[in-house]
Amino acid sequence: MLMVEMLSTGDEVLHGQIVDTNAAWLADCFFQHGLPLSTRTTVGDNLDSLVDVLLERSLYADVLIVNGGLGPTSDDLSALAAATAAGESLIEHPEWITYMESYFAARGRVMSDTNRKQAMIPESAELVDNPVGTACGFALTINDCLMFFTPGVPSEFKVMVNDQILPRLRQRYPLPPSPLCLRLTSFGRTESSLAQQFDVLTLPEGCVMGYRSSTPIIELKLTGPESQRQEMLRNWQIVKQGVEENMLYEGTEGLPAIISRQLTERGLKVVLSEQFSAGLLSWNLFSAQAPILQSEVQPSTDTMSLEQLLEKAKRMATQQQADISMVIGSHHDECLSLALATPNGSYAQRVRYMPGNHSIKVQQDVSATLALDMLSRWFNQRNVFGHYEWLEQAETLAH
């Protein structure tokens, strides 16, 4: 089995000053291509440490993805560390100088002399193109370990992995088939109750059921070899039926994107009003390019009855000539009120958070997700009012 590892560089990553989203993304990306990472290592901006780790991992890994340290500043040391570990010099690539000059000129800027450092790579290295940035990626072999050196900027890193690194790996190695990975996301269940329900399943050999909790949602994932597809699909139907009442969506598209697509396909426009959620619902739908006519955020001071909240939702839809109106009210006495007005019915509910040490941010996430769940249920002709293990339904109203 091909041993694939990742090395993240930088003091800011090592000391936890930024979240290493590149590592999480690469692990998932490579897993989907049948290349699960065997080890992930982090090292700071120290030349000796970088050289030591490169030499150490070269004795274990077949492929090492090195991320970060290709910038123009003095603490960007990956190219020098690679050359030192390989026992060779850095050489300048004039074609990359030309590319960088064009890159800056296209943006009305003049390339700084410090950027010339980004064109310096080990003499035996192969240049790996970066079409969206100035960091010159490269590939180098040390102790039979093929190393790819990549920029830390996520947008540049992802393009390089997809367009440059994966094609090279396919050419060089007989890659295993990609595993089958089935996913769904639930809302309103606890991880322990889901595990109790589904851990009794007898799964085919090599298959694993996993749970990923990211409050307020929990993702269920069934992973296994493609050869077990039929048996996995049979088990997956059991999972889907078992979590049906609380399933937000299947796959990885995300609920805001799904709702945005449904609104667009049906030619429906929406208006939004938020108090407790402080604009979070609007941000989710705006990010998914939903057809929003108007959104407002009001102070979470006024407490309305469900009847008043429902009338507000209907009034907003009428005034703005919208098809759908969504209102998240205030959070008062541990209760949250929401309303949804649609072309064929209007609904409001008040829910009470169950006892627990939840931050305001988590409770705001819950409120936005609950509003989206109400609309999703309406789209799918389900009961708009769901049942949730950790939300108590205090009152409902439907017109």
Side-chain angles (χ1 to χ4, degrees):
M1 183 178 177
L2 199 64
M3 298 293 290
V4 182
E5 299 186 9
M6 180 178 184
L7 173 61
S8 299
T9 72
D11 287 343
E12 68 280 7
V13 179
L14 179 65
H15 299 145
Q17 294 165 340
I18 64 170
V19 177
D20 191 357
T21 58
N22 284 347
W25 179 85
L26 183 72
D28 183 62
C29 174
F30 270 27
F31 179 83
Q32 299 302 326
H33 287 85
L35 292 168
L37 296 183
S38 56
T39 300
R40 282 162 48 177
T41 307
T42 304
V43 65
D45 295 315
N46 178 277
L47 182 60
D48 291 338
S49 298
L50 280 164
V51 173
D52 289 344
V53 172
L54 289 175
L55 290 173
E56 175 193 311
R57 300 325 306 166
S58 73
L59 301 175
Y60 295 92
D62 298 304
V63 176
L64 180 66
I65 309 298
V66 183
N67 187 233
L70 298 183
T73 58
S74 59
D75 60 345
D76 290 306
L77 300 169
S78 290
L80 178 58
T84 304
E88 54 191 53
S89 302
L90 292 170
I91 61 169
E92 186 177 87
H93 281 248
E95 67 273 29
W96 196 256
I97 298 288
T98 301
Y99 164 76
M100 287 193 293
E101 289 173 340
S102 300
Y103 179 93
F104 284 105
R107 290 157 177 79
R109 299 163 57 192
V110 177
M111 187 186 82
S112 169
D113 285 341
T114 58
N115 286 102
R116 297 185 70 92
K117 174 176 177 288
Q118 293 182 284
M120 303 288 291
I121 66 174
E123 58 182 327
S124 68
E126 172 195 1
L127 189 150
V128 177
D129 190 27
N130 173 11
V132 293
T134 60
C136 176
F138 61 91
L140 179 69
T141 299
I142 299 176
N143 294 328
D144 294 325
C145 173
L146 177 59
M147 300 182 181
F148 290 97
F149 290 79
T150 61
V153 178
S155 58
E156 299 177 30
F157 174 61
K158 293 174 183 179
V159 168
M160 189 174 290
V161 168
N162 285 319
D163 296 351
Q164 301 292 327
I165 295 176
L166 282 171
R168 283 172 166 83
L169 293 178
R170 291 192 190 99
Q171 290 177 356
R172 179 160 179 161
Y173 301 104
L175 300 186
S178 300
L180 179 61
C181 185
L182 305 169
R183 305 175 190 235
L184 67 79
T185 297
S186 68
F187 172 68
R189 293 288 302 274
T190 65
E191 192 171 4
S192 58
S193 75
L194 288 168
Q196 183 176 3
Q197 183 177 4
F198 298 122
D199 281 356
V200 297
L201 291 176
T202 302
L203 300 177
E205 183 179 356
C207 297
V208 177
M209 173 68 76
Y211 310 89
R212 183 182 66 86
S213 178
S214 178
T215 306
I217 62 174
I218 297 176
E219 183 189 61
L220 287 77
K221 182 169 63 175
L222 179 59
T223 307
E226 177 67 32
S227 59
Q228 299 282 13
R229 171 179 285 271
Q230 293 304 316
E231 188 64 18
M232 286 179 64
L233 290 175
R234 186 186 70 79
N235 280 277
W236 192 240
Q237 282 302 118
I238 297 173
V239 173
K240 287 171 62 177
Q241 291 170 6
V243 79
E244 181 178 12
E245 168 60 25
N246 296 94
M247 186 168 74
L248 284 181
Y249 57 91
E250 187 175 8
T252 59
E253 187 176 7
L255 189 57
I258 292 171
I259 286 178
S260 176
R261 175 168 46 79
Q262 290 173 323
L263 288 167
T264 302
E265 289 174 352
R266 301 186 192 195
L268 301 175
K269 306 294 185 181
V270 64
V271 290
L272 309 169
S273 177
E274 302 179 66
Q275 291 187 42
F276 178 66
S277 51
L280 185 58
L281 176 62
S282 302
W283 183 86
N284 283 331
L285 289 175
F286 270 123
S287 298
Q289 300 182 323
I292 298 174
L293 290 179
Q294 183 187 34
S295 68
E296 65 176 23
V297 178
Q298 296 185 327
S300 187
T301 53
D302 297 334
T303 302
M304 298 184 182
S305 68
L306 282 195
E307 188 70 48
Q308 290 172 323
L309 207 67
L310 202 57
E311 288 304 315
K312 176 177 180 176
K314 291 190 287 187
R315 185 172 61 252
M316 287 181 60
T318 300
Q319 290 174 345
Q320 300 299 323
Q321 296 184 331
D323 306 284
I324 291 172
S325 176
M326 304 171 70
V327 178
I328 297 178
S330 62
H331 184 239
H332 182 69
D333 289 339
E334 298 302 318
C335 284
L336 174 72
S337 301
L338 306 93
L340 169 68
T342 74
N344 61 3
S346 300
Y347 315 86
Q349 64 175 322
R350 178 172 288 111
V351 297
R352 179 177 291 108
Y353 291 98
M354 302 295 278
N357 187 25
H358 300 300
S359 68
I360 294 295
K361 176 58 170 62
V362 167
Q363 294 182 42
Q364 289 174 325
D365 286 338
V366 169
S367 68
T369 305
L370 182 57
L372 292 172
D373 188 37
M374 290 176 68
L375 181 54
S376 176
R377 287 171 175 273
W378 177 79
F379 270 130
N380 293 292
Q381 300 181 340
R382 299 165 62 194
N383 187 346
V384 169
F385 306 123
H387 297 282
Y388 313 101
E389 292 179 350
W390 39 265
L391 285 177
E392 179 186 348
Q393 199 171 67
E395 184 183 358
T396 63
L397 184 64
H399 286 173

